[in-house]
Amino acid sequence: MRSSFYNRKHSLERLDYYYQVINTTVLSKQNAASGLIPASVAITTHGDYTDAWVRDNVYSIYCVYGLALAYRRVDDTTGRAFELEHAVIKLMRGLLFSMMRQAPKVEKFKKTQNIWDALHAKYKTETGATVVGDREWGHLQIDATSFFLVALADMTTSGLSIIYTQDEVDFIQNLVFYIERAYRTPDFGIWERGDKSNHGQPELNSSSIGMAYAALKAINGVNLFGARGSPSSVIYVLPDEMSRNKITLHSVLPRESNSKEVDGSVLSIIGFPAFAVEDPTLIELTRNDARTKLEGRYGWKRFLRDGHQTVVEDHSRLHYNESELKIFENIESEWPLFFTYMVLEGLFTGNMDQAEEYRKKLEFVTIDSALWDPENPRPPEDYKRDDVKRPSVLCRTASLDLSIAPPDLHIPLVPELYYVPRESIEAERANPHSQKRIPNDNTPLVWALSLYLLGNLIYENLLSPSEIDPRGRRFDVHGEKVDNVVQVVLLSENEELQKTLGRYGLETQSIDQISSSFTVLPPQALVEVYSALGKNSKLELSGRPDRPMGTLATSRLYRIEGHIYAFTPQFMDVQSFYLNSDPDYLVSTIENELSFTNANWVFPGRPTITIVLTNAMLGDINRKEIAPVDCNPHLANALLSADASKKNLLNFFMNLRSGECNGVRVRLSRLTETVNTSNIESLDFLISKPDVDWNLILSSNKSYHRHRDDRHRRLGFEESSNLSSPGGALTPRTPRRRSVFGGKLLGTPLDKLDGDSYFQDIASALEKINGEGLATASFRLKDHEVTPSSQESTRAIGSPVLSHLRVAANGAEDSPAETMAGSKLKKTADLEVDTNDADEEQGGVLLSLTLGDVSQFDEAVKSLEASVNLYDQIDLLQYLASCKPLDDYIADLDATIRNLLEEVYVKAKRLQYWSVVRQASGLLSKAMPTLTSNLTDLVIRKKQVSIGAGANEHLISTPQSPSALSKMIAQQCLDDVREGPVVQEILISLGNFIRTNPSMFDGILRLRTHFIIIALREEISRLNGYNEEEAIEHLMQLSPFELQSLLGTVMSGPSMCEDTTIVVRDKPGGFLLFSQEFDPNRQLSTEVPSLHLPHEKMTPRRDDKFVIRAQSGGFNDGNFARVEINGSNLAANTRGLHVFAIDRLEKIVLEHASFDTHISTDESVDLVRFIRSLASGLIVVVVSKDDFVEHLTKEAVEVLKSLGSQQIEQVQYRDSYVMIAENGGDRTVEAHKQANQGPTELLEVEFALLKKNDIAPHDINDTNIGHFCPSSDGRWLRRRKNDGALNRAPKHFFSHVWKVLDTCFGLQIGSHQLPRDPTVFEKTAEEFNFALAVEAFFGYFRDPAEKQVAVELMIQIYQMQKAKPKFVFIERNINIPEIMEWAIADFWQTWTEKNKETFAKSPIFANGFEYEAHKEMAHNLFYDLPLDGKESTSTYLSKSISNALHI
């Protein structure tokens, strides 16, 4: 039993004992010259163990290190403390020298992450030289290099001097760069063989990622020269690299890799030595999962089906054959090593019960050295008998030489592993853990013995955990989420903008006004600064690679020689893509980054995000300032339409003053105020770099926000200043050309434009807005015009029109489904071009163009010269680009094709013509700088991504370089050039979602962009009644934020089929419906808990009624606006009036708009227009927040009175006000409280839902037949389509499929099969590779809804088999589509029979009720059935399964 009583004499005796043991087993093997320790001196069938492995050496020396600290504690005078310490230093420096000889490999690997460029995993013991070639061993073992750094950090902190020179410091810094991307670098892992089939295939391993994270955390900030060092000897780690490794680790555990569902090596990650997991729940889950699946009497299996050193393994080859892994099941070797990890974890965490339990288990498996006979190994039970005889000769083997030990020394030997002898194999398979096992000849395993002895030293109080873990990493486990305050510094680029924002109540500093001791720089400057870190000309090391800085890195302040530098975040520095031109998207991005920063900030001080506001972003909010006085009114309307969303950006920044954003605590501060509370990192390491001119690096960027370099100008237009110039109403109000394919035209304020050159007016407007001159001569194309005939009704706004270059092979037009699916490259195109001379009756010039055919090149150029429509211009430019290179010069237009494309891109972006923007972006091959990092965010969380479709579909399972990813997208998106930018937007949005809301991806393994686009198209088509082509066109016109919001709705999954779901339109009169959490009008995506309404009365809710509850609190009375419908809280977080219009016809559909009538009368104008546009009969909820009367016009008051308000005229500044009314009706309820008198009373009103009229039999058609069947009004069909497109599967689905597959010959979909052999023989039930195989197999279903029903079918089969008391093997393939087809036919027959008399009068059944004739209708009705219940898919599927499989 452990004793806490200290006795010096006893301690010295025990230390002497351990010194003798360690000297005999470890130090005696240490090479006198190199300091390295061989794993053994044996050469066996399993390998040459005479070499020095990096990992084994560090583990082996840890007991020496522990004993040295123990001797230091007792103030040793025998010299042993000094001897032991320097034995440790000698080994660590020996490894360092070996690795430094390979410095060129480190330099190369930093850039390539190629497995052949890796540092070697083992070296020659005598010299430290390499022993095998780059391709002759699985050298890339990130955990080994990382463990070296962990030990280096701890040993240096404890006072050991291991690093002596600046060259060595620089090399260690480069090792940090070497491992910092472990989260995206597959390696060969701790067992050196890669995937478990031993085919040398590297994998992402949790043990490698965890050790890398531990190393980055441990080494960060360590001065390798100790107390005598300077800033130049400190090691720096960027926080974003730590964060990504941590996030990846937490998302992968308890799994080890794709092929290993669990591995004993995770013990080294959740406990000693890494302490890499900070979530106690995840630690417990990982430990329990590994213990349940791997633990035996003699140790733990390394992983399931591990054949290493089993007697049935073929030792003549390293790899395993197909289906061979199954023979190792239940007879895997058991390693006592893992017991030592469990003991150490218990000791370090204070869990003494665990430590005691596994010490007893170790006592059983250790062997007394006096009894060990390597020639005659026996089970450990035999060594515990009283009659056991000692061997006649002392052990003198490769692993242990007792001749150098004192004769009475008893060493507890820890074998490498215990294996099942050949004669016991079958008995062990039949009854696992029943047979005795024998230790192998590698006894003791020094790695395991070292950890065992270290545990003993701690257990006997000779050493404390704090001495081995001086940096306290074991205390990093957080039971609760850390609540940070994110500081936000808003700076105006000039005083004019500062004054403008001040008028709206937003206080900022201009850049010129900040203290001279501060400098604000772009993130690229920080990249350049860190490129000097670790730079060493002697070693030919270049320092940190040129990679973008993450948000966490720019959320610090930096100091050099007393001067403070702040860096703007990367997401505000996008200079080559159009996303930030949408202000709503920019708001969403900032929200995401605030949430991410809060969730991942674990450093001292508060994070500080510095944002520079520009005139292009916010300077034209006031309508009177948008355009020059002499600007024609039509242009003013155009600019108003484009800039309408900018108020959302301003409102967002103003709402930050509340101290809350998206559930994150924020604080608006001046830059000088943040110094005392921010995290400040030193850059003083630059001072000692003689080959780095740090002054030049920093000073060259000082004018970043004040003066732009001319090299960034294109077409004489300051594009970079406008790239962050968001604008535009949510649904594009874009003028369209007449189309030869017909279709609706979009209504727009530009429809009334006369023949004036409005882009010249835009030039004048932009000159005022941006403060930059715009040379109109730089525009080579004619100005955009819209003829009066193009005008449409207001309701047409947002309707699609087929505008882009339509093409078809062999003269036949492709369907958009094929176009977006990656069909053959389009060949011919018909295009009608509008010109100035074209009379409305005469039309334009009709061209039939063939992409790549230069015969009509000159005609196309002439048409382009004459064109007055942006859509015609971009289509013609696409044709020109297909004929000649982009840099080809066109003399008639005095510009290159590229310049002309840039011109159209800039114009379209300014006016928010998103279809044109995407088309131009695709032709120019523009790429979002953060695209690869967003893709990385997906794949590091084990989400595979595919681009393209069919045979051309490209699967991505590892991070990609920017060039490789851009090339991939370009190759897979050939049919519609706009698809490439849309794919980029989807990947970026998915990356943002998974960073801030990973639960959204539950059950999803593979994200197929092609099917996601189809899901988006289906959503648009379903809501608007569009055909596929119209829906695709509408999709292309969505703003980036609209597309992101629609994608979020598609991703919302289960909520789609709930009756209580509240759907929100994208904008007044919009055509998209979003889930509540993706309401584009919200400023906080999640309500603050304190703002929830009190619980409603517990009364049964009737299906034919709904309840609205609302309450308001003015600025001094809580400052809130609360609205709730049927228990669903609605977002109302901005200042001003919030108006909700509710449709009572069957579904509750909201139109939500907010009007900040405190800011300006323009908002009152919008309010009047909105309320007047509402249809009679709608329920209108008006609720105020903060203040709304400052600029509320008389006309606005009158329109509120028209709703029935009688108190609106009494409302004063910052009063509380709420109203619920029926538009055009006589039912109005309102409440008003003066300021400082508290919030209004809680209004609660119940309304009846309206019902559609009964359907007459002759009116029955495909769209309303669901009223006669147990359908879900499209909710379940919608969910199944979306979940199928996303490949979403329920929890435990894949393990259930494995069990079903193990009971039959295989699964079948048409001609495709997933056979039992070798699938279940090679892969285990929870193995990630098995899940991927099943997911790929189910990909043969082309209809997403059908695929989801197939998923339900497999779950149903599993549950029916599980319910059977006796196991029954199915002697056939399970034909999934066949069973589903029988179930659907049964459903159809049942319900046509029930409604036969009614259906007989319908024209759609004129030819009878046969299933084959109405198969498509039957499928859609079946797919809309609920999952469970009396009339559900489960009912019919279970019946079909019983008939087909006799279960």
Side-chain angles (χ1 to χ4, degrees):
M1 200 66 179
R2 188 184 191 198
S3 172
S4 58
F5 179 73
Y6 177 73
N7 183 299
R8 179 176 176 81
K9 180 180 178 182
H10 175 73
S11 296
L12 290 174
E13 289 175 354
R14 295 302 294 163
L15 289 176
D16 182 69
Y17 165 75
Y18 284 118
Y19 177 82
Q20 298 298 336
V21 170
I22 289 173
N23 187 58
T24 302
T25 57
V26 180
L27 293 178
S28 62
K29 295 181 180 180
Q30 185 173 26
N31 186 274
S34 68
L36 303 180
I37 301 174
S40 172
V41 291
I43 301 176
T44 70
T45 56
H46 304 291
D48 182 353
Y49 290 96
T50 62
D51 299 324
W53 272 262
V54 174
R55 180 188 306 101
D56 291 60
N57 267 251
V58 180
Y59 271 118
S60 297
I61 209 65
Y62 247 94
C63 66
V64 182
Y65 171 53
L67 186 60
L69 295 177
Y71 268 110
R72 182 195 290 179
R73 176 195 269 196
V74 298
D75 195 15
D76 171 61
T77 58
T78 64
R80 283 183 176 176
F82 184 87
E83 174 196 2
L84 293 168
E85 286 180 5
H86 285 80
V88 175
I89 293 172
K90 189 176 185 68
L91 180 137
M92 293 294 289
R93 289 188 61 78
L95 291 175
L96 176 67
F97 292 158
S98 297
M99 290 187 282
M100 287 185 71
R101 293 188 183 99
Q102 294 193 304
K105 298 181 74 65
V106 173
E107 177 64 22
K108 194 172 182 180
F109 184 83
K110 287 189 304 183
K111 302 169 183 175
T112 67
Q113 275 82 53
N114 190 297
I115 57 175
W116 311 126
D117 297 332
L119 285 170
H120 282 207
K122 61 177 185 174
Y123 300 94
K124 192 172 182 61
T125 303
E126 295 77 14
T127 64
T130 58
V131 289
V132 292
D134 293 345
R135 297 171 183 263
E136 297 173 16
W137 197 261
H139 285 298
L140 180 54
Q141 299 170 31
I142 293 176
D143 72 293
T145 308
S146 300
F147 186 34
F148 172 81
L149 292 178
V150 169
L152 177 64
D154 285 342
M155 292 171 182
T156 301
T157 304
S158 68
L160 300 189
S161 296
I162 299 174
I163 302 301
Y164 296 164
T165 68
Q166 188 62 45
D167 295 329
E168 294 172 4
V169 172
D170 291 338
F171 181 78
I172 296 299
Q173 182 66 64
N174 277 271
L175 285 186
V176 169
F177 302 145
Y178 179 91
I179 67 166
E180 68 180 4
R181 304 190 101 187
Y183 62 86
R184 56 175 291 162
T185 309
D187 71 340
F188 295 101
I190 192 172
W191 311 124
E192 305 188 298
R193 301 289 180 81
D195 76 310
K196 68 180 180 184
S197 65
N198 285 5
H199 281 266
Q201 183 66 36
E203 299 181 296
L204 279 175
N205 294 285
S206 296
S207 53
S208 294
I209 298 169
M211 197 61 75
Y213 173 57
L216 296 175
K217 189 167 61 170
I219 201 76
N220 183 37
V222 172
N223 194 315
L224 295 182
F225 290 171
R228 293 167 289 183
S230 69
S232 62
S233 55
V234 174
I235 298 299
Y236 298 88
V237 179
L238 290 177
D240 293 275
E241 304 302 337
M242 275 195 279
S243 175
R244 286 206 164 175
N245 280 286
K246 171 186 171 182
I247 291 170
T248 306
L249 177 65
H250 282 225
S251 65
V252 174
L253 287 175
R255 191 187 310 278
E256 163 68 359
S257 68
N258 283 5
S259 70
K260 305 183 186 82
E261 65 178 76
V262 67
D263 193 300
S265 62
V266 297
L267 293 181
S268 67
I269 301 307
I270 64 175
F272 178 85
F275 304 108
V277 182
E278 297 163 4
D279 180 357
T281 304
L282 183 57
I283 292 174
E284 189 72 18
L285 172 66
T286 303
R287 184 195 306 112
N288 290 342
D289 187 54
R291 177 160 44 195
T292 302
K293 296 176 180 177
L294 302 178
E295 185 171 321
R297 288 194 298 154
Y298 301 88
W300 286 23
K301 307 167 185 177
R302 296 192 303 178
F303 48 86
L304 297 179
R305 296 183 177 180
D306 174 22
H308 181 61
Q309 295 202 40
T310 59
V311 295
V312 297
E313 181 186 37
D314 185 348
H315 302 313
S316 65
R317 50 184 166 85
L318 289 177
H319 67 277
Y320 298 127
N321 293 326
E322 192 176 81
S323 305
E324 187 178 359
L325 292 176
K326 180 74 172 177
I327 69 173
F328 305 128
E329 194 166 70
N330 294 329
I331 63 165
E332 301 95 330
S333 300
E334 293 179 354
W335 297 55
L337 165 69
F338 299 110
F339 287 167
T340 67
Y341 281 114
M342 293 295 285
V343 170
L344 285 168
E345 186 197 8
L347 292 171
F348 274 92
T349 60
N351 186 348
M352 295 310 298
D353 290 340
Q354 176 178 310
E356 293 284 0
E357 176 187 355
Y358 282 92
R359 278 180 59 81
K360 290 179 181 177
K361 293 182 178 183
L362 274 170
E363 184 179 349
F364 170 69
V365 297
T366 54
I367 302 171
D368 188 340
S369 59
L371 304 177
W372 173 238
D373 183 1
E375 302 298 327
N376 183 29
R378 289 173 288 177
E381 296 94 327
D382 293 358
Y383 292 103
K384 311 304 179 188
R385 299 202 316 263
D386 294 336
D387 59 346
V388 63
K389 294 182 180 180
R390 293 193 177 197
S392 57
V393 181
L394 285 175
C395 176
R396 298 187 63 180
T397 66
S399 301
L400 179 66
D401 185 0
L402 293 178
S403 64
I404 62 173
D408 59 344
L409 183 64
H410 291 262
I411 304 174
L413 305 179
V414 184
E416 179 181 31
L417 55 85
Y418 283 91
Y419 64 90
V420 181
R422 188 174 299 276
E423 63 273 12
S424 303
I425 289 292
E426 293 306 321
E428 180 71 8
R429 282 177 177 158
N431 188 10
H433 310 301
S434 64
Q435 303 301 301
K436 292 183 178 181
R437 293 173 176 248
I438 297 175
N440 72 341
D441 53 2
N442 189 16
T443 301
L445 176 65
V446 181
W447 169 357
L449 180 63
S450 177
L451 295 184
Y452 173 71
L453 296 174
L454 184 63
N456 284 355
L457 289 170
I458 297 174
Y459 183 82
E460 296 180 27
N461 281 328
L462 300 173
L463 184 66
S464 69
S466 59
E467 290 171 293
I468 289 292
D469 177 30
R471 298 187 64 77
R473 291 178 292 109
R474 66 193 183 281
F475 298 123
D476 288 342
V477 177
H478 303 297
E480 297 180 359
K481 179 181 175 294
V482 177
D483 187 18
N484 296 297
V485 175
V486 181
Q487 299 178 148
V488 179
V489 176
L490 298 179
L491 299 174
S492 300
E493 67 174 349
N494 54 46
E495 292 187 18
E496 181 182 356
L497 176 60
Q498 180 192 21
K499 292 177 182 177
T500 301
L501 296 177
R503 288 201 297 269
Y504 295 112
L506 185 62
E507 294 185 8
T508 62
Q509 281 183 291
S510 70
I511 293 181
D512 292 330
Q513 291 173 342
I514 61 176
S515 169
S516 60
S517 60
F518 290 84
T519 301
V520 179
L521 299 176
Q524 183 57 36
L526 190 57
V527 173
E528 295 175 20
V529 165
Y530 272 103
S531 66
L533 186 62
K535 192 172 184 179
N536 189 289
S537 56
K538 287 194 287 184
L539 293 173
E540 298 182 345
L541 296 172
S542 61
R544 184 181 184 271
D546 186 4
R547 298 173 188 147
M549 285 290 165
T551 303
L552 298 180
T554 55
S555 296
R556 288 171 157 173
L557 299 181
Y558 293 84
R559 178 186 285 116
I560 182 170
E561 291 190 334
H563 194 85
I564 300 295
Y565 292 88
F567 295 88
T568 56
Q570 183 72 38
F571 66 85
M572 296 293 293
D573 196 49
V574 179
Q575 296 190 359
S576 60
F577 211 59
Y578 55 82
L579 291 184
N580 278 9
S581 296
D582 179 2
D584 294 305
Y585 185 89
L586 187 57
V587 167
S588 172
T589 301
I590 298 173
E591 282 184 340
N592 288 336
E593 295 301 328
L594 287 173
S595 178
F596 174 80
T597 301
N598 174 62
N600 293 280
W601 188 262
V602 293
F603 309 99
R606 295 174 177 174
T608 302
I609 297 179
T610 305
I611 297 176
V612 176
L613 306 179
T614 66
N615 283 286
M617 291 166 59
L618 296 169
D620 49 353
I621 308 159
N622 192 321
R623 296 186 177 193
K624 297 176 182 178
E625 297 179 2
I626 290 181
V629 177
D630 58 349
C631 172
N632 75 62
H634 308 305
L635 173 60
N637 285 335
L639 293 174
L640 283 174
S641 175
D643 291 331
S645 295
K646 291 192 175 182
K647 71 167 187 177
N648 292 347
L649 194 58
L650 175 63
N651 285 340
F652 170 75
F653 288 126
M654 294 182 67
N655 278 322
L656 293 181
R657 298 178 305 174
S658 69
E660 196 101 27
C661 176
N662 208 19
V664 177
R665 292 197 297 157
V666 297
R667 185 175 186 271
L668 287 180
S669 306
R670 291 176 176 266
L671 193 55
T672 52
E673 296 171 351
T674 66
V675 172
N676 293 331
T677 54
S678 295
N679 177 274
I680 302 180
E681 184 68 87
S682 171
L683 295 178
D684 287 335
F685 66 86
L686 290 170
I687 300 172
S688 61
K689 295 285 183 182
D691 50 349
V692 176
D693 189 346
W694 62 270
N695 271 308
L696 179 62
I697 293 175
L698 296 175
S699 62
S700 64
N701 291 280
K702 283 188 178 180
S703 58
Y704 171 70
H705 293 292
R706 304 176 192 171
H707 307 288
R708 313 283 182 139
D709 195 293
D710 288 340
R711 69 175 180 270
H712 294 305
R713 295 177 180 271
R714 294 179 181 175
L715 308 169
F717 179 75
E718 181 46 68
E719 185 191 67
S720 61
S721 69
N722 206 32
L723 281 161
S724 294
S725 173
L730 287 174
T731 297
R733 295 186 171 98
T734 48
R736 311 298 298 203
R737 66 156 181 261
R738 297 188 306 278
S739 171
V740 295
F741 301 103
K744 304 173 186 176
L745 295 177
L746 296 179
T748 169
L750 285 179
D751 291 344
K752 299 179 181 179
L753 284 177
D754 53 26
D756 294 337
S757 177
Y758 80 79
F759 258 104
Q760 293 180 2
D761 289 332
I762 285 182
S764 301
L766 291 178
E767 181 176 357
K768 184 179 191 305
I769 293 169
N770 298 324
E772 302 259 1
L774 177 63
T776 57
S778 64
F779 286 153
R780 305 302 182 189
L781 301 178
K782 285 192 174 182
D783 303 326
H784 184 96
E785 297 178 3
V786 177
T787 59
S789 63
S790 67
Q791 298 178 29
E792 286 284 333
S793 66
T794 304
R795 190 63 180 166
I797 296 176
S799 301
V801 64
L802 315 178
S803 64
H804 63 286
L805 195 58
R806 305 307 308 161
V807 291
N810 302 321
E813 185 180 344
D814 290 339
S815 74
E818 293 171 336
T819 299
M820 297 303 289
S823 56
K824 294 185 296 182
L825 182 62
K826 304 180 289 187
K827 294 298 180 183
T828 65
D830 291 328
L831 173 65
E832 183 177 357
V833 180
D834 292 327
T835 67
N836 281 330
D837 300 328
D839 188 87
E840 187 56 39
E841 281 70 22
Q842 294 176 340
V845 179
L846 183 65
L847 293 178
S848 180
L849 303 174
T850 302
L851 295 179
D853 179 7
V854 298
S855 61
Q856 291 185 289
F857 189 87
D858 293 338
E859 289 85 349
V861 171
K862 292 179 182 178
S863 297
L864 183 60
E865 282 188 273
S867 173
V868 292
N869 186 289
L870 277 174
Y871 295 88
D872 290 340
Q873 291 172 0
I874 192 61
D875 286 351
L876 286 165
L877 284 169
Q878 182 175 353
Y879 164 74
L880 298 181
S882 72
C883 296
K884 293 187 179 181
L886 291 185
D887 293 319
D888 190 77
Y889 180 75
I890 300 177
D892 292 349
L893 291 169
D894 190 26
T896 64
I897 298 174
R898 185 185 304 278
N899 285 344
L900 296 174
L901 282 170
E902 291 281 4
E903 178 180 334
V904 171
Y905 175 75
V906 167
K907 290 178 177 179
K909 186 159 59 72
R910 180 63 185 89
L911 288 182
Q912 310 296 283
Y913 294 1
W914 296 110
S915 179
V916 177
V917 169
R918 291 182 174 107
Q919 194 170 351
S921 178
L923 292 170
L924 289 166
S925 300
K926 289 183 177 291
M928 182 73 173
T930 59
L931 177 63
T932 53
S933 62
N934 280 273
L935 174 68
T936 299
D937 285 330
L938 293 168
V939 298
I940 64 178
R941 291 170 174 85
K942 305 307 242 183
K943 308 300 178 187
Q944 294 190 335
V945 177
S946 74
I947 297 173
N952 296 323
E953 186 175 26
H954 193 102
L955 188 65
I956 303 172
S957 57
T958 58
Q960 303 289 313
S961 66
S963 58
L965 184 57
S966 298
K967 182 179 179 181
M968 198 180 303
I969 293 175
Q971 289 175 343
Q972 301 298 328
C973 303
L974 296 173
D975 299 289
D976 188 335
V977 74
R978 301 172 299 178
E979 186 180 358
V982 168
V983 167
Q984 290 193 55
E985 290 183 51
I986 289 173
L987 293 178
I988 290 167
S989 295
L990 291 174
N992 290 336
F993 289 157
I994 204 168
R995 293 174 75 200
T996 55
N997 189 13
S999 62
M1000 185 185 290
F1001 294 79
D1002 288 348
I1004 299 176
L1005 296 181
R1006 182 173 295 169
L1007 295 156
R1008 306 172 78 177
T1009 56
H1010 166 72
F1011 284 100
I1012 290 175
I1013 290 175
I1014 290 178
L1016 298 175
R1017 184 198 70 197
E1018 289 290 319
E1019 282 289 293
I1020 294 171
S1021 178
R1022 180 182 64 82
L1023 293 165
N1024 298 278
Y1026 293 158
N1027 61 35
E1028 291 182 359
E1029 194 166 11
E1030 290 174 325
I1032 284 293
E1033 187 60 34
H1034 189 90
L1035 174 66
M1036 291 300 172
Q1037 296 179 60
L1038 299 181
S1039 72
F1041 180 70
E1042 284 179 310
L1043 192 149
Q1044 176 179 265
S1045 300
L1046 183 60
L1047 177 60
T1049 296
V1050 169
M1051 294 286 296
S1052 59
S1055 64
M1056 290 182 178
C1057 55
E1058 296 174 0
D1059 289 328
T1060 57
T1061 296
I1062 305 299
V1063 287
V1064 185
R1065 288 193 183 272
D1066 61 326
K1067 71 174 197 66
F1071 288 83
L1072 299 176
L1073 291 174
F1074 299 130
S1075 295
Q1076 175 192 334
E1077 56 266 41
F1078 290 97
D1079 174 9
N1081 293 285
R1082 91 303 179 234
Q1083 291 300 318
L1084 302 183
S1085 61
T1086 305
E1087 283 283 333
V1088 181
S1090 61
L1091 299 187
H1092 286 176
L1093 291 171
H1095 293 296
E1096 59 182 317
K1097 299 175 183 178
M1098 298 300 293
T1099 56
R1101 180 175 297 154
R1102 295 169 52 185
D1103 294 336
D1104 59 347
K1105 294 184 180 294
F1106 67 95
V1107 177
I1108 298 175
R1109 306 199 307 154
Q1111 188 177 22
S1112 166
F1115 183 81
N1116 299 317
D1117 302 299
N1119 196 22
F1120 64 85
R1122 308 171 181 173
V1123 179
E1124 181 186 278
I1125 299 180
N1126 281 0
S1128 294
N1129 291 291
L1130 305 178
N1133 303 297
T1134 58
R1135 181 178 59 192
L1137 280 179
H1138 290 263
V1139 184
F1140 297 87
I1142 304 161
D1143 185 356
R1144 292 192 288 160
L1145 186 60
E1146 286 202 3
K1147 294 182 180 179
I1148 300 175
V1149 178
L1150 301 179
E1151 293 196 6
H1152 173 203
S1154 61
F1155 306 94
D1156 190 359
T1157 51
H1158 172 86
I1159 284 186
S1160 70
T1161 56
D1162 298 332
E1163 297 290 309
S1164 290
V1165 173
D1166 291 338
L1167 171 65
V1168 171
R1169 184 185 297 119
F1170 174 68
I1171 293 180
R1172 286 177 176 172
S1173 69
L1174 297 178
S1176 179
L1178 291 180
I1179 305 302
V1180 181
V1181 181
V1182 180
V1183 58
S1184 70
K1185 180 183 178 184
D1186 193 332
D1187 173 66
F1188 71 97
V1189 300
E1190 183 79 4
H1191 289 93
L1192 188 70
T1193 62
K1194 290 184 178 180
E1195 191 177 14
V1197 171
E1198 290 301 319
V1199 81
L1200 291 172
K1201 290 172 67 175
S1202 72
L1203 293 174
S1205 173
Q1206 297 180 358
Q1207 302 180 27
I1208 187 63
E1209 291 182 323
Q1210 283 78 48
V1211 181
Q1212 301 297 318
Y1213 181 67
R1214 286 183 169 171
D1215 284 1
S1216 307
Y1217 178 76
V1218 61
M1219 175 175 65
I1220 303 175
E1222 182 177 358
N1223 190 26
D1226 57 0
R1227 189 178 182 186
T1228 301
V1229 181
E1230 62 182 330
H1232 166 233
K1233 277 288 186 70
Q1234 292 182 354
N1236 300 314
Q1237 292 188 1
T1240 67
E1241 61 185 272
L1242 175 62
L1243 299 185
E1244 182 170 326
V1245 185
E1246 185 179 86
F1247 291 93
L1249 283 173
L1250 302 180
K1251 295 291 183 181
K1252 292 183 179 178
N1253 296 328
D1254 292 337
I1255 301 170
H1258 62 272
D1259 290 331
I1260 296 175
N1261 54 41
D1262 291 354
T1263 60
N1264 60 27
I1265 193 174
H1267 290 274
F1268 299 89
C1269 302
S1271 69
S1272 303
D1273 294 327
R1275 290 191 303 273
W1276 273 99
L1277 175 61
R1278 180 190 184 201
R1279 176 181 174 179
R1280 287 187 174 108
K1281 279 186 174 291
N1282 288 338
D1283 282 354
L1286 295 168
N1287 306 293
R1288 195 189 298 274
K1291 193 174 183 180
H1292 305 307
F1293 169 70
F1294 297 106
S1295 60
H1296 291 171
V1297 172
W1298 189 94
K1299 292 171 183 175
V1300 172
L1301 185 58
D1302 197 30
T1303 61
C1304 64
F1305 286 166
L1307 306 179
Q1308 183 176 341
I1309 301 174
S1311 60
H1312 306 284
Q1313 292 186 1
L1314 183 66
R1316 176 174 182 262
D1317 182 10
T1319 308
V1320 298
F1321 290 174
E1322 283 188 343
K1323 301 173 176 66
T1324 55
E1326 297 185 25
E1327 183 178 325
F1328 193 72
N1329 283 339
F1330 174 75
L1332 293 177
V1334 173
E1335 201 280 335
F1337 176 68
F1338 274 72
Y1340 289 119
F1341 286 108
R1342 305 311 299 168
D1343 183 346
E1346 182 184 21
K1347 178 164 64 175
Q1348 282 308 105
V1349 173
V1351 169
E1352 297 169 22
L1353 173 70
M1354 295 304 299
I1355 295 295
Q1356 193 75 23
I1357 294 175
Y1358 167 78
Q1359 291 173 344
M1360 293 174 70
Q1361 285 183 327
K1362 186 179 178 182
K1364 281 284 184 180
K1366 187 177 180 181
F1367 170 79
V1368 178
F1369 189 84
I1370 302 171
E1371 301 283 345
R1372 54 169 286 189
N1373 283 335
I1374 297 178
N1375 192 321
I1376 298 175
E1378 182 180 73
I1379 298 174
M1380 291 167 54
E1381 196 70 15
W1382 291 343
I1384 299 171
D1386 182 25
F1387 161 78
W1388 178 257
Q1389 183 178 357
T1390 299
W1391 283 95
T1392 52
E1393 188 66 29
K1394 286 185 178 182
N1395 296 279
K1396 196 168 187 177
E1397 292 185 8
T1398 304
F1399 288 173
K1401 301 174 184 178
S1402 171
I1404 64 175
F1405 295 107
N1407 297 321
F1409 302 100
E1410 288 75 14
Y1411 170 69
E1412 290 297 327
H1414 302 90
K1415 183 178 288 189
E1416 183 178 354
M1417 182 188 301
H1419 276 243
N1420 285 333
L1421 290 172
F1422 185 80
Y1423 297 156
D1424 198 32
L1425 291 177
L1427 178 63
D1428 298 305
K1430 185 177 179 180
E1431 287 296 333
S1432 63
T1433 53
S1434 299
T1435 302
Y1436 294 96
L1437 289 175
S1438 59
K1439 183 178 177 182
S1440 183
I1441 292 167
S1442 296
N1443 294 334
L1445 305 179
H1446 307 292
I1447 299 178

